Amino acid sequence: MSIKMENAEIKLSGKDFASDQEVKWCPGCGDYSILKQVQSTLADIGVKREDTVFVSGIGCSSRFPYYMNTYGVHSLHGRATALASGLKTARPDLNTWIVTGDGDALSIGGNHLIHLLRRNLNVNILLFNNEIYGLTKGQYSPASPKGTITKSSPMGSLDHSFNPLALCLGADSTFIARSMDRDPKHLRAILAEANNHIGTSMVEIYQNCNVFNDGAFFTFTEKATKGNTTLQLEHGQPLIFGDNRDLGIKLDGFKPVVVALDESTSTDDLWVHDESDQVKAGILTRFFDIPSAGMTLPRPFGVFYKESRSVYEEDVAIQINQAIEIKGEGDLNSLLAGANTWEVI
Amino acid sequence: MSIKMENAEIKLSGKDFASDQEVKWCPGCGDYSILKQVQSTLADIGVKREDTVFVSGIGCSSRFPYYMNTYGVHSLHGRATALASGLKTARPDLNTWIVTGDGDALSIGGNHLIHLLRRNLNVNILLFNNEIYGLTKGQYSPASPKGTITKSSPMGSLDHSFNPLALCLGADSTFIARSMDRDPKHLRAILAEANNHIGTSMVEIYQNCNVFNDGAFFTFTEKATKGNTTLQLEHGQPLIFGDNRDLGIKLDGFKPVVVALDESTSTDDLWVHDESDQVKAGILTRFFDIPSAGMTLPRPFGVFYKESRSVYEEDVAIQINQAIEIKGEGDLNSLLAGANTWEVI
Amino acid sequence: MVETKEEKKTVTILFAGDSGDGMQLTGSQFTNTNALFGNDVSTFPDFPAEIRAPQGTIAGVSGFQLNFGSVDVFTPGDNADVLVAMNAAALKASLLKLKIGGTIIVNLSGFDKKNLRLAGFLNDENPLTDSSLGKYRVLEMDVTKLTRACLADTGMTVKHIDRSKNMFVLGVLYWMYNRKLDTTLDFFKVKFKGKQDLIDANTKVLTAGYYFGDTSEIFTSRYEVKPAPLSKGVYRNIMGNQATAIGLIAAVRKANLDLFYGSYPITPASDILHELAKHKNFGVKTYQAEDEIAAICAAIGASFGGHLGVTTSSGPGIALKGEALGYAAILELPLVVINVQRGGPSTGLPTKTEQSDLMQALYGRNGEAPIPVVAPCTPSDCFDVIYEAARIAVEHMTPVFFLSDGYIANGSEPWSFPLAKDLVPIKVKKLSAGGDDEKYRPYVRNEKLVRDWAIPGVKGLEHRVGGLEKENETGNVSYDPANHELMVKLRAKKVANISDTIPDQNIEIGEDSGKVLVLGWGSTFGACKTAVTELVKDGVEVSQAHVRYLNPLPKNLGDLISRFDKVLVPEINDGQFVKLIRDKYLVDAIPFNKIMGIPFSSQEIKEKVLEILG
Amino acid sequence: MVETKEEKKTVTILFAGDSGDGMQLTGSQFTNTNALFGNDVSTFPDFPAEIRAPQGTIAGVSGFQLNFGSVDVFTPGDNADVLVAMNAAALKASLLKLKIGGTIIVNLSGFDKKNLRLAGFLNDENPLTDSSLGKYRVLEMDVTKLTRACLADTGMTVKHIDRSKNMFVLGVLYWMYNRKLDTTLDFFKVKFKGKQDLIDANTKVLTAGYYFGDTSEIFTSRYEVKPAPLSKGVYRNIMGNQATAIGLIAAVRKANLDLFYGSYPITPASDILHELAKHKNFGVKTYQAEDEIAAICAAIGASFGGHLGVTTSSGPGIALKGEALGYAAILELPLVVINVQRGGPSTGLPTKTEQSDLMQALYGRNGEAPIPVVAPCTPSDCFDVIYEAARIAVEHMTPVFFLSDGYIANGSEPWSFPLAKDLVPIKVKKLSAGGDDEKYRPYVRNEKLVRDWAIPGVKGLEHRVGGLEKENETGNVSYDPANHELMVKLRAKKVANISDTIPDQNIEIGEDSGKVLVLGWGSTFGACKTAVTELVKDGVEVSQAHVRYLNPLPKNLGDLISRFDKVLVPEINDGQFVKLIRDKYLVDAIPFNKIMGIPFSSQEIKEKVLEILG
Ligand SMILES: Cc1ncc(C[n+]2csc(CCOP(=O)(O)OP(=O)(O)O)c2C)c(N)n1
Ligand SMILES: Cc1ncc(C[n+]2csc(CCOP(=O)(O)OP(=O)(O)O)c2C)c(N)n1
Ligand code: SF4
Ligand code: SF4
Ligand SMILES: [Mg+2]
Ligand SMILES: [Mg+2]
């Protein structure tokens, strides 16, 4: 019983998904680009505006729904995932997107996030990770590397940060991916893949907060460095990267190693990306931590892992149908009367 | 700056750790055994009663502190981890134990749990997993396998369950282990190891709720089946199990496979347990899910993973000392006066 | 054997035994049989917080009190006429509740050395053998032994056999009160379906108990409690939580809505979840959330999606919902919030009853966020009041609080249930298409100040809602000072307006003016009604009014109150509703409080009324 | 150039510009200089919720109002004498706050086509060129151009240069009010330490502004605001949140305790966390928790461990703490809970002020869990009141609510700060060794009904605490009905007893009886005081009393109130404290409410008083 969403009759453009509200992020904020890519991806997908809902929590990123000319819910801090779970269970027919920040999703909302992932409702989560609390003017978040100096940590934060995608994988997420604000094409492609996945799609998006954490991801997003620091994952393809695509990743046992692609090493020796391999996906999420022999591992982008598992809201619908099959459609009068009645005359 | 706990002058026995309160679990409940093992382990460790604190949430398991003749806090549902984090940050000198249930830790308390794990305070978490809500009289928990029939799921639960240890590993836990109520010796050994680990020690304990979920773990705990269904992890030792210790686990790439130990396969071919290998620990936590060629994988018990990482409350203390070194011990009069004053005469 | 038959108007029986003794089952079977016979019935189960507290101890005692009569009964009885004590601890824990001169039926093997010790009797002390029970009539029988004997040849284990001993006692009581065994025999057939041996065994024991009454010499009389003059109609027996659950289903059916029930288990509210989970064939979606916050947020999400979102908890869980309640209030979406109150503060007394969450319901969130509050006053009233809660929620686009409590939730009474067709209609105004406006304006209001319910999927109604202050009509985020004041006032007025749609406050008993008004709310109803009825009979100038709508209050309440010299407000808390009354009407209303986790007795109310009359 | 010098008693200046224009900095520099000069000062910053709302728009306007005088000032001023408008939007948003006849200093380049359009002026409409500003004196200068010219040869980029334009305006104002530049020049040295080019550039622009005032012909007069007759002493300027932070440090120092501060960021409370994080050399442990629940639970854990646990939030975050608050109350551990209130309900108006969380503080949790509530009335009063909160928490073993608000938190005033040695001592009664009892009984109480603080690590005091009802004295779990009532009453009495240790309520202004009493709490203090002072001068029979202790209330409050014909309760909410007064004293207290996210003006209070006098 898979739920089909109807497509729009008239082809809409990205602009048709923009609401009439003035966008109020800081000039230069990475959120602008993400907004644009989401709008044009929705147009590409061809979903109807009235069948689409954006649910967010609280944070700069969570202002997102106001800018979408769809249905929208700006919920409470950390609760977008919880609210969307109810909405999607009630209304499996709605194309549901959750927009959240690293504070919203990982700090106050961490529990609802992992529970949504395990239940695997068919929704898309866009986690705008800027490694900072933007809206409250710059405190460290659970995604900020230890030692980050902020208003609330003038001597450096002391909390070991989460590895967001590793956490999600630990919570039995069925789809994890990473993209960034500054690569529109990549972002659109990942958004489309997320939308296609049946189940909870978790997309971490590196987003620059140019006011409180400017340049947190510049090594991965700027031309000068990006080639050697990022790895584009493609299913079935060997892990190759580098400005000249002359570097690759090999597995030495369970340890990823960066190798130069020259006479002695061919692409055949390289690790071939397999989206369905949970263990390897786990290693990829840990490319932060693992010190590779002599060389820093690049940061992977793309779809790390994808798994097909039944979807909560469908199971709910199926169980209701089963109940009706077994007991018959509920009859209110019998329910009111119960099993034992007597009459007073 | 590692914190040393003083040991008791007089050797105490397990009974010395029992409070005067009547134990009020159902007759036959697995909690009794755990209580006893904890009491005797504390005696073995030689910690002082007055330096020891048990913090729990709400649930049958969470009544634990009342039965310990130490300091104790029976907190709120899901909040033991949060409360203990404050206590341990304030008082790094206290030997701190958290007792929690699968509902308490994984349902309402999921967020505080994963945040405690990443912060890595030096405390021990005992998660009594009975795959049910005991105290509220039998609803399914996030640890109950999908399809579990309970009062709140008369047609079977629809929520995919957490893999508790995989979740903890995803949250960057520095110590994860599993034991059971029905193997006192094993449990005591693991408790002692947990206590020795500097950092948050996460111990999942399979516990039988004989009233609402009787026998959930009998295949692993009862003599008749236990040999072939359980795997005892020992650091540096090959993965051997079976009634006659004639079965082993081999890795086929990243896939664990059960092999018979005969002429063709020797123990040298087997996977050797390495507590420091996070990737392999991840595979071990997934022994639920991975269907091994033709044979069910045994359930591992013991220490899965152990890592040394700095401890939050020590970092806090260090930072305070640094602040004092740099600025000098705070002077209240200067603080009151601030930087700019003027006098009215 | 001489058999005298004594007629009784009402009888109160208290079954008390160990948690494992099946007293709840015994009590409810006896209740059902009496109800079906035609008595009016009221019950009150009282069990320990532990699943199975240590056997034989006071902490482990589980009680079930029921009051049945040939006249209307409004409470489970102040004091018991008969106490069934399955062991020494049960006797010790319950004796205070027995009337002087009352009957004690004791299970002799529950008074052996071990049991006496566990119950805390000192060395060799035994109430059965010393004179301490002199004021009562004690009927001893060795239930355990008799049951074992009865099933000796079945091949069952002793442990299994002992589980049936409550049925022996039940049989004895059926004999005493001259009741048929049919209801319970039918019950065996359903409960032990497919296990004929168990059906046979229980039938055997029940019948044995009945004949034991008949043949043994220890009983000198049987009692007759005739059917009560209940109004004509078809009746069933119903518990409060059950009534709440089916009330919700009835409401969504009549409103043509789907029900989404987001909840996290907590005593004494969980049974509503359990009941609803049985009725999936009504399309009910029960969602066991990861916590109370997730539960209410999911329910809000479902309401945004066009379902009736409902969420339930008890005190501590409700405390967690405060932020989301304010959110639901500012969104102006329908939501029903059920609080089955228990003893507080904090974790408090999980299985005991209390009315101490009224202030939390009225004020427990940040900012100005008034929410309607309604409270049922008896188990069956839960049906009517939850139905009203649902009606108000969807007709006025607002969260609504339903304040039940452990006493009502677990209590039961006969209920002349309605027919589906006779339930008042619930008018839902979901928009089915976009309007003429180019941009849909979600916060445009009708004459009652209620906005429309615009549900995703409808073209032309795309809109965004959120917790920031909204511009009037458009709903766009607005920081405009004057707009904020306007919106706060509009939301408050919308809730206040509900008083136009609710009935005037009535006088339950007594004249509509006089010396004392007993003004209650919630589960004190029965005790107040019994007390005032008796006082009025005695010629005391006292009346009773009982409030079901706590916010907004009925329009005529101030006027009604003003016609009495004194106003007494009994509550199972430290004085909460009384604050509301004093603030609102500036009358020196007198608080009367009991904070013991147990209901008032009607006697206590009577005495208090007489006391303030001087 | 003719220079006239006009003497002024008080002057109110409103700096308004784009969020990026540095108005907050300009305002606080001007404040500090005036304060150091000896004026009495009161300030009120008002900024948008967005970090940087769209440039040039009304939503992006950031304002800073300050009132300084040669007499006592109690508010940031009802209306401004001078409005600094850096662009068209700032003018449009702020004009209403300017007095008729007031002065507007405009930055001409902020009124170009683009800015006019962004501010929402229609085609070709320009307030500077049409007659719409006829009622004001407009002083135009092209600040942007002048600043650029001034730094043209520094090689700085235009973007960087433009950042200094606020300093030009500040220089002009220093000239207008005849102030020295020293304080600000010193500030540059600290702020731009190590960046000599920036120090130089800002110095240049500030000086240029000053000389511009001196030489340009547009100013006809300078003003003189003499030092205020502040009481003798040493002063500093202080903001409310800052005073709160250092008050906490002072309290733990005097109590010889360690401070554990568990918090989760939220506007407008976060600055307390930021301030405390700067003072780790006082041993302060700041803990940025994962959410508000974790923050309060961690603080409770720290209190159990013997620290003073403190937790802070604003409305929505406080709502999340309800369950844990009841828990702290039943544990009877010290805990300070700070709510810096903002506009509600729900997410509401995050950067605006409101007093609408009083009921939440009093009642926002399940069960009977009374908690003391105190509220500061000015920025510097935060110090005294948080100190009191800490004292009450540790001396009475209870959580204590401290209700500040956005207005006080961000406002500032001169403060005659105390010496450490003059602070009242705080008596902590931590037990240092086990007693004679074999079993330590943690809930034994002293004559004030306060239990001891027994801290882990001490031998012989091992004990367990929890949220279930406790047996009196032993603290063991108890379901005993009478014990529950006893404990509820004991806890309530313990809190009520605090009224013995707090000062009687005083009359702030006016006679101690009369026609009208203006009875306020919290941040309405200044407006009420100004209003009543002026009315009294005019011979009106009105007095002011301002309550800092909201629970328990001062013992004499009822008596005090009863001596007035009418009681007016002004609040920045829909009427909350007034409910308490009506309930408690049965007087027909009159609510006076403003729910606009902004404070009362003294004029509003005056008018209301006159209105009710008829
Ligand atoms: C209950 C509650 N707690 C705290 C806040 C304050 N708050 C608003 S947004 C936010 C964090 C925002 O960080 P993030 O989610 O990373 O979003 P960003 O602004 O960086 O996009 C916080 C702490 C709130 N609004 N509500
Ligand atoms: C805030 C709150 N929500 C719900 C409850 C009810 N409650 C008590 S224990 C429990 C679950 C217990 O399950 P678990 O943690 O697995 O412990 P167990 O009883 O199985 O040992 C629940 C839901 C509560 N006490 N407080
Ligand atoms: S504060 Fe940061 S995240 Fe927020 S809008 Fe500005 S740049 Fe973007
Ligand atoms: S309900 Fe289950 S877990 Fe709880 S005490 Fe009984 S057997 Fe143990
Ligand atoms: Mg962020
Ligand atoms: Mg459990």
PDB file of all heavy atoms in Angstrom, chain A residues 50 71 74 319 327 330 333 336 342 344, chain C residues 35 233 235 278 280 420 457-458 465:
ATOM      1  N   GLU A  50      -0.601  22.700  -2.831  1.00  0.00           N
ATOM      2  CA  GLU A  50      -1.588  22.442  -1.770  1.00  0.00           C
ATOM      3  C   GLU A  50      -1.387  21.077  -1.117  1.00  0.00           C
ATOM      4  O   GLU A  50      -1.960  20.819  -0.048  1.00  0.00           O
ATOM      5  CB  GLU A  50      -3.019  22.591  -2.302  1.00  0.00           C
ATOM      6  CG  GLU A  50      -3.423  21.588  -3.374  1.00  0.00           C
ATOM      7  CD  GLU A  50      -3.187  22.110  -4.789  1.00  0.00           C
ATOM      8  OE1 GLU A  50      -2.264  22.949  -4.960  1.00  0.00           O
ATOM      9  OE2 GLU A  50      -3.883  21.684  -5.712  1.00  0.00           O
ATOM     10  N   TYR A  71       1.454  24.885   2.317  1.00  0.00           N
ATOM     11  CA  TYR A  71       1.045  24.881   3.717  1.00  0.00           C
ATOM     12  C   TYR A  71       2.311  24.874   4.573  1.00  0.00           C
ATOM     13  O   TYR A  71       3.348  24.337   4.140  1.00  0.00           O
ATOM     14  CB  TYR A  71       0.174  23.663   4.022  1.00  0.00           C
ATOM     15  CG  TYR A  71      -1.235  23.828   3.483  1.00  0.00           C
ATOM     16  CD1 TYR A  71      -1.554  23.438   2.188  1.00  0.00           C
ATOM     17  CD2 TYR A  71      -2.229  24.414   4.261  1.00  0.00           C
ATOM     18  CE1 TYR A  71      -2.841  23.615   1.684  1.00  0.00           C
ATOM     19  CE2 TYR A  71      -3.515  24.594   3.770  1.00  0.00           C
ATOM     20  CZ  TYR A  71      -3.820  24.193   2.481  1.00  0.00           C
ATOM     21  OH  TYR A  71      -5.075  24.382   2.004  1.00  0.00           O
ATOM     22  N   HIS A  74       5.291  26.647  11.484  1.00  0.00           N
ATOM     23  CA  HIS A  74       6.468  27.071  12.240  1.00  0.00           C
ATOM     24  C   HIS A  74       6.173  26.640  13.667  1.00  0.00           C
ATOM     25  O   HIS A  74       5.353  27.235  14.339  1.00  0.00           O
ATOM     26  CB  HIS A  74       6.565  28.595  12.131  1.00  0.00           C
ATOM     27  CG  HIS A  74       7.752  29.218  12.798  1.00  0.00           C
ATOM     28  ND1 HIS A  74       7.660  30.379  13.511  1.00  0.00           N
ATOM     29  CD2 HIS A  74       9.054  28.855  12.845  1.00  0.00           C
ATOM     30  CE1 HIS A  74       8.861  30.715  13.969  1.00  0.00           C
ATOM     31  NE2 HIS A  74       9.727  29.810  13.577  1.00  0.00           N
ATOM     32  N   GLN A 319      -3.093  -1.451   9.619  1.00  0.00           N
ATOM     33  CA  GLN A 319      -3.649  -2.057  10.826  1.00  0.00           C
ATOM     34  C   GLN A 319      -5.119  -1.653  11.013  1.00  0.00           C
ATOM     35  O   GLN A 319      -5.941  -2.469  11.439  1.00  0.00           O
ATOM     36  CB  GLN A 319      -2.823  -1.667  12.054  1.00  0.00           C
ATOM     37  CG  GLN A 319      -3.030  -2.614  13.207  1.00  0.00           C
ATOM     38  CD  GLN A 319      -2.068  -2.365  14.356  1.00  0.00           C
ATOM     39  OE1 GLN A 319      -2.065  -1.305  14.945  1.00  0.00           O
ATOM     40  NE2 GLN A 319      -1.252  -3.359  14.661  1.00  0.00           N
ATOM     41  N   LYS A 327     -13.255  -6.989  12.493  1.00  0.00           N
ATOM     42  CA  LYS A 327     -14.413  -6.673  13.331  1.00  0.00           C
ATOM     43  C   LYS A 327     -15.539  -5.976  12.588  1.00  0.00           C
ATOM     44  O   LYS A 327     -16.606  -5.757  13.159  1.00  0.00           O
ATOM     45  CB  LYS A 327     -13.986  -5.729  14.463  1.00  0.00           C
ATOM     46  CG  LYS A 327     -12.873  -6.229  15.345  1.00  0.00           C
ATOM     47  CD  LYS A 327     -12.848  -5.373  16.605  1.00  0.00           C
ATOM     48  CE  LYS A 327     -11.527  -5.439  17.322  1.00  0.00           C
ATOM     49  NZ  LYS A 327     -11.449  -4.463  18.394  1.00  0.00           N
ATOM     50  N   GLY A 330     -16.538   0.058  12.611  1.00  0.00           N
ATOM     51  CA  GLY A 330     -17.080   0.308  13.937  1.00  0.00           C
ATOM     52  C   GLY A 330     -18.513   0.829  13.930  1.00  0.00           C
ATOM     53  O   GLY A 330     -18.843   1.718  13.155  1.00  0.00           O
ATOM     54  N   ASN A 333     -23.459   2.656  17.852  1.00  0.00           N
ATOM     55  CA  ASN A 333     -24.456   2.202  18.815  1.00  0.00           C
ATOM     56  C   ASN A 333     -23.986   0.992  19.615  1.00  0.00           C
ATOM     57  O   ASN A 333     -24.206   0.905  20.816  1.00  0.00           O
ATOM     58  CB  ASN A 333     -25.787   1.924  18.116  1.00  0.00           C
ATOM     59  CG  ASN A 333     -26.571   3.222  17.926  1.00  0.00           C
ATOM     60  OD1 ASN A 333     -26.577   4.075  18.811  1.00  0.00           O
ATOM     61  ND2 ASN A 333     -27.188   3.377  16.759  1.00  0.00           N
ATOM     62  N   LEU A 336     -21.500   2.186  22.179  1.00  0.00           N
ATOM     63  CA  LEU A 336     -22.147   2.849  23.306  1.00  0.00           C
ATOM     64  C   LEU A 336     -22.767   1.828  24.249  1.00  0.00           C
ATOM     65  O   LEU A 336     -22.711   1.979  25.472  1.00  0.00           O
ATOM     66  CB  LEU A 336     -23.217   3.821  22.796  1.00  0.00           C
ATOM     67  CG  LEU A 336     -22.677   5.057  22.056  1.00  0.00           C
ATOM     68  CD1 LEU A 336     -23.803   5.809  21.353  1.00  0.00           C
ATOM     69  CD2 LEU A 336     -21.948   5.978  23.024  1.00  0.00           C
ATOM     70  N   TRP A 342     -28.867  -3.765  30.495  1.00  0.00           N
ATOM     71  CA  TRP A 342     -30.128  -4.207  31.087  1.00  0.00           C
ATOM     72  C   TRP A 342     -31.139  -3.085  30.960  1.00  0.00           C
ATOM     73  O   TRP A 342     -30.749  -1.928  30.758  1.00  0.00           O
ATOM     74  CB  TRP A 342     -29.937  -4.637  32.536  1.00  0.00           C
ATOM     75  CG  TRP A 342     -29.624  -3.509  33.479  1.00  0.00           C
ATOM     76  CD1 TRP A 342     -30.493  -2.808  34.229  1.00  0.00           C
ATOM     77  CD2 TRP A 342     -28.326  -2.981  33.773  1.00  0.00           C
ATOM     78  NE1 TRP A 342     -29.845  -1.861  34.969  1.00  0.00           N
ATOM     79  CE2 TRP A 342     -28.507  -1.950  34.710  1.00  0.00           C
ATOM     80  CE3 TRP A 342     -27.026  -3.279  33.342  1.00  0.00           C
ATOM     81  CZ2 TRP A 342     -27.444  -1.209  35.227  1.00  0.00           C
ATOM     82  CZ3 TRP A 342     -25.983  -2.534  33.851  1.00  0.00           C
ATOM     83  CH2 TRP A 342     -26.186  -1.523  34.782  1.00  0.00           C
ATOM     84  N   VAL A 344     -34.452  -0.969  32.335  1.00  0.00           N
ATOM     85  CA  VAL A 344     -35.314  -0.602  33.457  1.00  0.00           C
ATOM     86  C   VAL A 344     -36.627  -0.128  32.861  1.00  0.00           C
ATOM     87  O   VAL A 344     -36.636   0.748  31.994  1.00  0.00           O
ATOM     88  CB  VAL A 344     -34.667   0.526  34.290  1.00  0.00           C
ATOM     89  CG1 VAL A 344     -35.636   0.991  35.377  1.00  0.00           C
ATOM     90  CG2 VAL A 344     -33.353   0.060  34.890  1.00  0.00           C
TER      91      VAL A 344
ATOM     92  N   ALA C  35     -25.478  -4.344  38.936  1.00  0.00           N
ATOM     93  CA  ALA C  35     -25.968  -3.363  37.978  1.00  0.00           C
ATOM     94  C   ALA C  35     -27.000  -4.010  37.065  1.00  0.00           C
ATOM     95  O   ALA C  35     -28.084  -3.475  36.841  1.00  0.00           O
ATOM     96  CB  ALA C  35     -24.808  -2.804  37.171  1.00  0.00           C
ATOM     97  N   GLY C 233     -35.103   3.000  30.822  1.00  0.00           N
ATOM     98  CA  GLY C 233     -34.083   3.052  29.795  1.00  0.00           C
ATOM     99  C   GLY C 233     -33.223   1.818  29.819  1.00  0.00           C
ATOM    100  O   GLY C 233     -33.376   0.941  30.671  1.00  0.00           O
ATOM    101  N   TYR C 235     -29.534   0.288  30.287  1.00  0.00           N
ATOM    102  CA  TYR C 235     -28.350   0.650  31.056  1.00  0.00           C
ATOM    103  C   TYR C 235     -27.173  -0.266  30.756  1.00  0.00           C
ATOM    104  O   TYR C 235     -27.343  -1.409  30.330  1.00  0.00           O
ATOM    105  CB  TYR C 235     -28.653   0.556  32.559  1.00  0.00           C
ATOM    106  CG  TYR C 235     -29.485   1.701  33.075  1.00  0.00           C
ATOM    107  CD1 TYR C 235     -30.862   1.729  32.864  1.00  0.00           C
ATOM    108  CD2 TYR C 235     -28.884   2.735  33.778  1.00  0.00           C
ATOM    109  CE1 TYR C 235     -31.627   2.786  33.336  1.00  0.00           C
ATOM    110  CE2 TYR C 235     -29.642   3.791  34.261  1.00  0.00           C
ATOM    111  CZ  TYR C 235     -31.014   3.816  34.042  1.00  0.00           C
ATOM    112  OH  TYR C 235     -31.749   4.859  34.523  1.00  0.00           O
ATOM    113  N   LYS C 278      -8.263  -0.571  21.279  1.00  0.00           N
ATOM    114  CA  LYS C 278      -9.130  -1.707  20.929  1.00  0.00           C
ATOM    115  C   LYS C 278     -10.091  -1.368  19.798  1.00  0.00           C
ATOM    116  O   LYS C 278     -10.735  -2.266  19.263  1.00  0.00           O
ATOM    117  CB  LYS C 278      -9.987  -2.094  22.149  1.00  0.00           C
ATOM    118  CG  LYS C 278      -9.241  -2.738  23.277  1.00  0.00           C
ATOM    119  CD  LYS C 278     -10.239  -3.128  24.365  1.00  0.00           C
ATOM    120  CE  LYS C 278      -9.552  -3.344  25.698  1.00  0.00           C
ATOM    121  NZ  LYS C 278     -10.457  -3.089  26.820  1.00  0.00           N
ATOM    122  N   LYS C 280      -9.685   0.220  16.774  1.00  0.00           N
ATOM    123  CA  LYS C 280      -9.109   0.699  15.512  1.00  0.00           C
ATOM    124  C   LYS C 280     -10.104   0.594  14.367  1.00  0.00           C
ATOM    125  O   LYS C 280      -9.970   1.279  13.356  1.00  0.00           O
ATOM    126  CB  LYS C 280      -7.850  -0.102  15.186  1.00  0.00           C
ATOM    127  CG  LYS C 280      -6.784   0.047  16.254  1.00  0.00           C
ATOM    128  CD  LYS C 280      -5.390   0.227  15.703  1.00  0.00           C
ATOM    129  CE  LYS C 280      -4.552   0.846  16.797  1.00  0.00           C
ATOM    130  NZ  LYS C 280      -3.151   0.503  16.778  1.00  0.00           N
ATOM    131  N   ALA C 420     -26.804   6.766  19.248  1.00  0.00           N
ATOM    132  CA  ALA C 420     -25.950   7.620  18.423  1.00  0.00           C
ATOM    133  C   ALA C 420     -26.742   8.783  17.835  1.00  0.00           C
ATOM    134  O   ALA C 420     -26.302   9.931  17.837  1.00  0.00           O
ATOM    135  CB  ALA C 420     -25.311   6.795  17.311  1.00  0.00           C
ATOM    136  N   GLY C 457      -4.156  20.244   1.398  1.00  0.00           N
ATOM    137  CA  GLY C 457      -4.771  19.455   0.349  1.00  0.00           C
ATOM    138  C   GLY C 457      -5.771  20.288  -0.441  1.00  0.00           C
ATOM    139  O   GLY C 457      -6.111  19.934  -1.562  1.00  0.00           O
ATOM    140  N   VAL C 458      -6.219  21.379   0.182  1.00  0.00           N
ATOM    141  CA  VAL C 458      -7.184  22.229  -0.521  1.00  0.00           C
ATOM    142  C   VAL C 458      -6.452  23.373  -1.215  1.00  0.00           C
ATOM    143  O   VAL C 458      -5.702  24.120  -0.594  1.00  0.00           O
ATOM    144  CB  VAL C 458      -8.239  22.809   0.451  1.00  0.00           C
ATOM    145  CG1 VAL C 458      -9.249  23.645  -0.327  1.00  0.00           C
ATOM    146  CG2 VAL C 458      -8.918  21.697   1.214  1.00  0.00           C
ATOM    147  N   VAL C 465       1.179  28.759   9.682  1.00  0.00           N
ATOM    148  CA  VAL C 465       0.838  29.101  11.066  1.00  0.00           C
ATOM    149  C   VAL C 465       2.097  28.960  11.930  1.00  0.00           C
ATOM    150  O   VAL C 465       3.030  28.260  11.541  1.00  0.00           O
ATOM    151  CB  VAL C 465      -0.273  28.189  11.628  1.00  0.00           C
ATOM    152  CG1 VAL C 465      -1.554  28.334  10.819  1.00  0.00           C
ATOM    153  CG2 VAL C 465       0.171  26.731  11.671  1.00  0.00           C
TER     154      VAL C 465
END
